[in-house]
Amino acid sequence: MTVLILGGTSEAAALDQHLAEQAPDIRAIISLAGHTVDPRPSNLPVRVGGFGGIEGLRDYLREEGIIAVIDATHPFAAIMPFNAEHACKAEGVPLLAIRRKPWIRRPGDRWRSVLDMQAAVEALGDEPKRVFLTVGRLELPVFADAPRHRYLVRVIEPIGDRLPLHDVTVIQQRGPFHADDEEDLMRREGVEILVTKNSGGDATAGKLIAARQLGLPVIMVERPPKPDVEAVEHIDQVLPWLVAQGLFVTERGV
């Protein structure tokens, strides 16, 4: 019994440990897009790279004898969730998505929601600002269109030449980040505005608390559309779903 986990989130990384402990008879494979050079360690076999579109994914499902697919891709993955929906439907393979709740506006928040990264650049305005970018290194090039701002960029990996501007400070760190530390950072760096994606989750929510405490505006890039498939919020809901699909029987027979 082989389950394919489409990774890209902390939930995917935690799911492999959960399945190893709770259902060792299940063989699981984590598939990563390869955007992160140094991903979190995994207890499961890992494949890296794309499948070659819907048809390539269909071939993989057949060749590997996949009995179920868990879509634990990043909330901003725009293509793979739809490819998974079409491939699984065509092959008759059950599909479950893990979708964490988005962040919601709280009293005191000064959010401006935008649809995409280009809109985020435009929302920065013409007046030069100290901008804290927490959008991931792949999204940085578009901000080169606004060289008047001074950028503080936090990423997991080096950005290379993705933001070739004069006034760019790079912090290379992996979360979680605590609110007090985030507030200290923003004060120390003179941050005037935060730009982030609405990824949800607790690991990086501290920056929003800090911005609220400091009264700073936030440009919030909202998530792209997702396919209408069965979804859960937590990894501990995956095994019961597999049981309900008739794909796995626990030691207690439920």
Side-chain angles (χ1 to χ4, degrees), residues 41-63:
S42 172
N43 299 304
L44 301 177
V46 177
R47 70 170 304 279
V48 178
F51 292 94
I54 296 171
E55 291 306 314
L57 181 53
R58 289 184 64 183
D59 291 341
Y60 185 85
L61 296 178
R62 290 194 301 268
E63 292 166 3

Side-chain angles (χ1 to χ4, degrees), residues 36 38-41 154-157 172-177:
T36 301
D38 183 25
R40 297 176 187 271
R154 185 167 64 201
V155 288
I156 295 175
E157 297 171 343
Q172 201 173 321
Q173 290 179 321
R174 191 192 293 268
F177 303 106

Side-chain angles (χ1 to χ4, degrees), residues 35-36 74 76 103 117 132-143 151-160 162-163 170-171 173 177 194-199 204 207 221:
H35 298 317
T36 301
H74 192 274
F76 278 78
W103 293 315
M117 214 55 64
F132 187 16
L133 293 180
T134 63
V135 296
R137 64 189 180 95
L138 298 181
E139 305 285 7
L140 294 176
V142 68
F143 291 91
Y151 294 100
L152 174 66
V153 179
R154 185 167 64 201
V155 288
I156 295 175
E157 297 171 343
I159 69 170
R162 292 182 180 276
L163 190 55
V170 178
I171 302 174
Q173 290 179 321
F177 303 106
L194 168 67
V195 182
T196 192
K197 295 176 174 180
N198 196 340
S199 299
T204 58
K207 60 192 171 187
V221 182

Side-chain angles (χ1 to χ4, degrees), residues 144-196:
D145 294 339
R148 56 193 171 277
H149 303 298
R150 297 176 296 117
Y151 294 100
L152 174 66
V153 179
R154 185 167 64 201
V155 288
I156 295 175
E157 297 171 343
I159 69 170
D161 60 355
R162 292 182 180 276
L163 190 55
L165 300 178
H166 174 68
D167 202 340
V168 177
T169 302
V170 178
I171 302 174
Q172 201 173 321
Q173 290 179 321
R174 191 192 293 268
F177 303 106
H178 301 292
D180 290 344
D181 296 332
E182 296 286 69
E183 186 172 342
D184 289 344
L185 173 65
M186 293 183 193
R187 288 184 185 276
R188 185 170 65 250
E189 294 290 342
V191 170
E192 297 174 275
I193 189 168
L194 168 67
V195 182
T196 192

Side-chain angles (χ1 to χ4, degrees), residues 113-137:
S113 293
V114 296
L115 293 179
D116 55 35
M117 214 55 64
Q118 182 60 52
V121 174
E122 296 169 1
L124 287 174
D126 296 328
E127 181 181 349
K129 300 177 182 68
R130 178 60 160 165
V131 180
F132 187 16
L133 293 180
T134 63
V135 296
R137 64 189 180 95

Side-chain angles (χ1 to χ4, degrees), residues 82-103:
F82 287 96
N83 285 356
E85 178 197 25
H86 294 307
C88 287
K89 184 176 295 184
E91 296 300 321
V93 175
L95 170 65
L96 180 70
I98 301 177
R99 293 185 184 156
R100 68 173 76 132
K101 287 184 177 181
W103 293 315

